[in-house]
Amino acid sequence: MSIADSIGSVKPDRKAPASERLATILRRLSKAYPDARMALEFSSPLQCIVATILSAQATDAGVNVVTKSLFRKYQRHEDYLSVPEEELQRDIHATGFFRQKTRSLRGMAAKLVESFDGEVPPTMAELTSLPGVARKTANIVQGNCFPEAAKKDPEAGMAVDTHVGRVAVRLGLTRHASKEAEKVESDLLRLIAKKDRFRATYVLIEHGRRTCVAKGPNCADCSVEPLCPSSQEAGLGDRYRSTAPAARRK
Ligand code: SF4
C-alpha cells in the first residue's frame, strides 16, 4: 500500500503540529513526485555503497559519470585494495575530496574482507561498522539493497541528506538545524511510520531538488505550500535561513 493510500486526509493548516500535517504533506509530495527514487546508478550492494560514499559533497549526476568507468575497472571489493592508493585517487578525483574518499573505500573494502567474507552486510549495526559509512550511507544501502532486512532491523531509519534536512526544517518537521542529520532523523522517525520511511526519503529529496531548493524555494509552485510554516508565498520567514536557536524553531 502506498503512502497516498495508507493515510487519511487532514485539513491543511501550516500552524498545526507536525504530527497533524505530516500525512497530508507526504500524500501531496508522493503525488507530485510519483517516480522519486535513488538517483545514483548501481547494480549490486558493493556498487551502491561505493557510489554513496562518493556522493558526499558531489552531485549524483557527477558520481554517475565517474562510476560508469570505475565499476568496469573495480568489479570486486578486492580491486579497491589491489591498486596503488594514488591510482584509486585518480580514478575518483572528479567527485572531490578524493583522498578522504579513497581512505574510506579502501577501509571499507578491507573491513568487508576482515569481518564479512567480502560481502556487504545487511544490518545497520554492521553497515555502520564499515569505515566511511555513517547512518546516512547505511540507510541508503540498506533501504535500496536490503529492504527485507530493513523491515526487521530496529536500527533502520531514514537517510537525511542535505535536501531532506533542509525540507524538514522548512516544513517544521524537526526542531534541529538541517546539518544535524542524526537529530533530524530522530525527529522524522518519530513522525513517519516505518513502512513509509523509504518512500518518504525519496519524495523529500526530490522536493528539495526540484522545488524547495536551497536558494529561493519555489513556494508559488509548491504542492505543500498551505502546510508550510516557511512559505515565502505567505510572507513567512525561512526557517532554514533563520538564525534563531534551533530549539525555538518548531
Ligand atoms: S512552501 Fe516553499 S519553503 Fe515551504 S516546502 Fe514549499 S517550496 Fe519549501
Side-chain angles (χ1 to χ4, degrees), residues 14 29 166-167 170-171 207 211-213 216-233 238:
R14 71 180 94 244
L29 292 181
R166 182 177 66 255
V167 173
R170 280 182 171 153
L171 284 169
H207 189 53
T211 306
C212 194
V213 295
N218 187 5
C219 304
D221 193 29
C222 173
S223 62
V224 293
E225 189 280 328
L227 295 139
C228 179
S230 300
S231 168
Q232 311 296 286
E233 193 69 1
D238 184 349

Side-chain angles (χ1 to χ4, degrees), residues 31-98:
K31 198 171 170 191
Y33 311 111
D35 301 323
R37 64 173 189 85
M38 169 92 144
L40 294 171
E41 290 165 1
F42 64 94
S43 58
S44 70
L46 179 64
Q47 289 188 0
C48 183
I49 203 165
V50 169
T52 307
I53 287 172
L54 294 179
S55 71
Q57 310 290 326
T59 65
D60 289 348
V63 171
N64 287 339
V65 170
V66 169
T67 56
K68 197 166 186 181
S69 53
L70 189 79
F71 291 159
R72 274 199 297 270
K73 179 173 175 182
Y74 299 78
Q75 298 192 356
R76 304 161 307 156
H77 60 280
E78 306 98 291
D79 298 333
Y80 293 90
L81 298 168
S82 62
V83 298
E85 192 168 342
E86 297 72 25
E87 184 173 339
L88 180 54
Q89 286 180 355
R90 276 198 304 277
D91 289 338
I92 66 166
H93 185 274
T95 68
F97 298 92
F98 58 92

